[in-house]
Amino acid sequence: MHALTDRPFLSLIIPVLDESATIAAQLAGLDPLREGNEILVVDGGSRDATVDLARPLVDALICSPRGRASQMNAGSTASRGEVLLFLHADTTLPGNALAEIRRAIADGALWGRFDVRIDGVHPLLRVVERLMNWRSRLTGIATGDQSIFVRREAFTAVGGFPDQLLMEDIALSRRLRRIARPACLHAQVVTSGRRWEKHGVLRTIVLMWALRASYFLGADPQRLARRYDHVPRER
């Protein structure tokens, strides 16, 4: 374990479930960030070797009930950093991520997110990522794929992630937007296009837009999660 200052600047929180194929490589790539910061992996009940592979590569490994919201809340409770960064297990940060977050926080941001690029060759993925980034700047709503970061006091003030199975990132953004607009960083995180390409890019686009529209119209997130399960959720 790397030596930490009395209080880390950044707590990087990664919810995982059955990620043994990629977790070691992802955590190895994040190792330079552990100096003065901390990395926490929160496992939601993996049945593969994810926990054993991750444990020696992080500052804390936590087990919690399955579900991104509950896992990320558990990670935030166990963390010590001034700023929380929530990173999906299939997403890679840009090399200047820490500097960009420090700059945004120094400029007064309470929370923010990165632009996203979807890893994949299908031309529609370029459309999807551009729309995601544009929509986020316009609305002040961020998605988990964009790697949300937030000052601890702001996260605590809004009650963290709501206890719901889907759209927890949208709900958190709505809460945070009431106190401040996000810092929308142009630096890009790269998220896997595996779900899009495995189940059909156009089909997944239509499903996600339909789910998002239903959510904004007041549909129950638990019911939407059951619809989402028709396209298995990649963690």
Side-chain angles (χ1 to χ4, degrees):
M1 181 182 296
H2 290 206
L4 295 174
T5 58
D6 287 344
R7 186 177 185 188
F9 169 71
L10 186 71
S11 292
L12 201 159
I13 298 166
I14 309 172
V16 298
L17 181 68
D18 296 332
E19 292 289 348
S20 62
T22 58
I23 190 65
Q26 185 195 35
L27 293 175
L30 294 172
D31 191 66
L33 292 180
R34 292 175 69 188
E35 191 66 41
N37 304 293
E38 63 177 0
I39 297 176
L40 301 89
V41 162
V42 188
D43 185 71
S46 293
R47 294 162 294 181
D48 61 9
T50 296
V51 169
D52 291 336
L53 291 169
R55 194 183 303 277
L57 301 173
V58 296
D59 298 288
L61 192 142
I62 303 151
C63 295
S64 87
R66 177 177 175 176
R68 274 203 181 122
S70 61
Q71 288 173 242
M72 291 187 290
N73 283 337
S76 69
T77 299
S79 69
R80 302 184 300 121
E82 299 174 26
V83 177
L84 310 176
L85 170 62
F86 299 99
L87 181 68
H88 287 184
D90 60 358
T91 300
T92 303
L93 293 172
N96 62 343
L98 180 59
E100 289 290 309
I101 293 171
R102 283 190 178 277
R103 184 177 300 112
I105 296 298
D107 287 343
L110 293 181
W111 71 290
R113 89 318 175 259
F114 292 86
D115 275 356
V116 66
R117 180 169 67 83
I118 302 172
D119 185 27
V121 298
H122 197 292
L124 279 178
L125 294 178
R126 306 288 76 79
V127 177
V128 171
E129 64 195 24
R130 289 188 180 96
L131 285 176
M132 287 173 64
N133 296 331
W134 174 81
R135 182 184 63 221
S136 180
R137 280 190 169 78
L138 180 67
T139 65
I141 297 293
T143 70
D145 288 330
Q146 293 173 305
S147 299
I148 295 170
F149 61 91
V150 54
R151 292 190 64 96
R152 177 178 296 276
E153 58 266 32
F155 186 77
T156 301
V158 301
F161 287 97
D163 185 18
Q164 59 191 59
L165 294 177
L166 196 66
M167 306 291 177
E168 74 287 337
D169 47 359
I170 305 301
L172 177 67
S173 293
R174 282 175 160 178
R175 293 177 175 186
L176 289 169
R177 190 180 59 179
R178 296 190 188 108
I179 60 175
R181 294 279 298 183
C184 296
L185 306 185
H186 289 283
Q188 293 182 334
V189 296
V190 180
T191 193
S192 171
R194 59 186 179 180
R195 169 167 49 89
W196 305 86
E197 294 183 333
K198 179 178 179 180
H199 301 285
V201 173
L202 184 58
R203 177 187 172 205
T204 305
I205 290 171
V206 171
L207 174 64
M208 293 307 300
W209 284 359
L211 292 175
R212 191 181 297 272
S214 297
Y215 180 68
F216 277 105
L217 291 173
D220 177 16
Q222 313 302 90
R223 182 174 62 82
L224 295 179
R226 290 193 292 271
R227 288 175 59 191
Y228 189 43
D229 281 343
H230 287 291
V231 176
R233 187 171 190 176
E234 304 286 357
R235 306 293 303 180

